[in-house]
Amino acid sequence: MKIIESVKELRKTRKEITGKAGFVPTMGALHRGHLELIKKSTEICDTTIASIFVNPTQFGKDEDYDKYPRTLDNDLQICEENGVDIVFKPKKEDIYPLSNPKVGFRISEELGNILCGKSRPGHFEGVAQVVSILFNIVDPDIAVFGEKDYQQLAIIKEMTSSLRYDTEIVAVPIIREPGGLAMSSRNRYLTPKEKELAGNILKVMEGVKVKAEEARFDRRALPVEFIESEAASRLTELIPDCKVDYVEIRNTNDLTKGRFLARDSRIFAAIFIGKTRLIDNLYIGV
Ligand code: AMP
């Protein structure tokens, strides 16, 4: 496995790749969720490049950029053992040669101003910015992203298509802890008890799915707002001291919202446990 820090060397190595080049962008602190992305890339591509870069521009002023877990030795071992061919771990100056980078994709309001885009202003602009720069450097045939960050995935698809990147975006389903909590690098901020309680996020979303299926069977129209507020109350009941940021039901394809539960719905949730923000989502169909 090659470990590359410089943009110049990465570009040179990329040019030598024959066959399909797969790319897995990460911020490190790798876990089984990342592993699944790596696996997917190694299955469908000839060469897999993983990047490890904690991107400062996607963190808000009061967020955890400085404290974000950095576990490089372990990350490199995971990459090595799981078939990554090249790890790209640039420095901040390699990605952002100017101190106040202004470049960026203009995300549509429909995708950018909802859910996490509303709660974390500037976050997705930072994500789109770093992914577009990484795509310019890596020039991947295929890039793999997780459904855990579902809105991010939608924005990356929008960006890739709008900017005419010659890259296919492949999605991987959410990988979960045994108790149901979606795996995340930030889960290590939680105590074992909090982790256990956080398993209720999935339980509540699954409850909504069952309700949606029952209503469909009975041909009953379910008002979306009512279901959302019921789910939010259930979350605060089951996870004492959590703060619900949002629970929303939207169309799984374009993230639009209707008044009544319709076909191809997906439920999205974001909650705080202490200072740790957790997000999750589940396809609820109907
Ligand atoms: P991050 O390192 O958190 O920026 O995540 C890098 C990639 O891994 C993103 O495409 C995430 O959506 C994906 N990812 C993170 N956690 C999971 C998970 N639990 N299941 C599937 N994909 C994940």
Side-chain angles (χ1 to χ4, degrees):
M1 184 176 81
K2 263 190 176 164
I3 301 168
I4 297 181
E5 292 196 12
S6 96
V7 172
K8 199 171 164 194
E9 195 188 340
L10 195 282
R11 286 205 160 112
K12 183 171 163 283
T13 310
R14 167 67 183 100
K15 286 206 180 89
E16 290 159 3
I17 295 175
T18 51
K20 282 213 179 306
F23 180 41
V24 181
T26 81
M27 297 209 296
L30 302 186
H31 49 68
R32 276 199 299 112
H34 298 110
L35 203 59
E36 211 57 28
L37 271 56
I38 290 172
K39 253 198 226 152
K40 174 57 91 182
S41 174
T42 58
E43 271 163 33
I44 60 179
C45 298
D46 302 291
T47 302
T48 290
I49 303 159
S51 65
I52 297 176
F53 180 65
V54 185
N55 173 38
T57 70
Q58 70 187 70
F59 287 80
K61 261 206 321 296
D62 301 322
E63 293 184 350
D64 55 347
Y65 173 69
D66 289 326
K67 279 201 285 170
Y68 195 83
R70 287 159 172 91
T71 58
L72 186 62
D73 291 344
N74 189 50
D75 294 347
L76 292 177
Q77 195 182 336
I78 289 176
C79 288
E80 173 98 65
E81 286 171 2
N82 290 281
V84 171
D85 300 287
I86 300 162
V87 172
F88 179 43
K89 53 178 239 22
K91 295 201 180 59
K92 209 157 77 179
E93 313 79 75
D94 299 316
I95 298 297
Y96 301 117
L98 306 179
S99 58
N100 187 16
K102 290 287 185 210
V103 317
F105 171 62
R106 193 177 304 171
I107 302 164
S108 69
E109 287 183 11
E110 291 83 352
L111 290 182
N113 293 353
I114 57 169
L115 304 172
C116 291
K118 207 157 111 191
S119 313
R120 301 180 69 188
H123 168 66
F124 287 124
E125 285 73 8
V127 170
Q129 182 180 53
V130 76
V131 173
S132 66
I133 292 169
L134 288 169
F135 278 11
N136 286 335
I137 296 169
V138 175
D139 185 23
D141 296 301
I142 286 170
V144 189
F145 289 85
E147 287 188 347
K148 152 93 188 333
D149 302 277
Y150 199 86
Q151 186 178 9
Q152 166 175 293
L153 175 65
I155 289 169
I156 297 299
K157 283 181 182 165
E158 176 183 59
M159 181 186 84
T160 305
S161 162
S162 306
L163 297 182
R164 313 292 297 156
Y165 280 108
D166 193 10
T167 299
E168 182 192 341
I169 305 300
V170 170
V172 166
I174 301 176
I175 305 301
R176 298 179 178 281
E177 310 252 7
L181 172 62
M183 293 212 124
S184 160
S185 304
R186 289 190 170 99
N187 289 356
R188 67 193 76 199
Y189 298 150
L190 302 174
T191 64
K193 179 76 192 154
E194 287 172 333
K195 258 192 190 177
E196 188 192 319
L197 286 170
N200 285 307
I201 304 171
L202 177 64
K203 290 214 175 79
V204 170
M205 295 194 303
E206 283 172 341
V208 171
K209 183 175 178 162
V210 169
K211 243 192 172 152
E213 282 162 357
E214 284 169 358
R216 170 152 202 239
F217 189 76
D218 302 339
R219 294 174 185 278
R220 264 184 298 120
L222 282 182
V224 163
E225 255 181 46
F226 175 73
I227 305 291
E228 290 171 347
S229 71
E230 216 181 42
S233 313
R234 192 89 186 105
L235 279 171
T236 37
E237 234 171 78
L238 292 172
I239 312 175
D241 301 332
C242 87
K243 195 174 140 279
V244 176
D245 183 0
Y246 62 73
V247 178
E248 289 198 41
I249 296 170
R250 291 180 171 271
N251 179 276
T252 199
N253 300 312
D254 57 13
L255 303 193
T256 54
K257 193 159 184 168
R259 279 187 54 215
F260 294 96
L261 221 56
R263 247 169 228 289
D264 277 344
S265 293
R266 185 174 284 268
I267 183 163
F268 298 87
I271 70 166
F272 284 95
I273 296 186
K275 279 191 177 156
T276 308
R277 189 169 182 279
L278 303 172
I279 59 169
D280 206 337
N281 66 83
L282 184 74
Y283 182 74
I284 58 172
V286 308

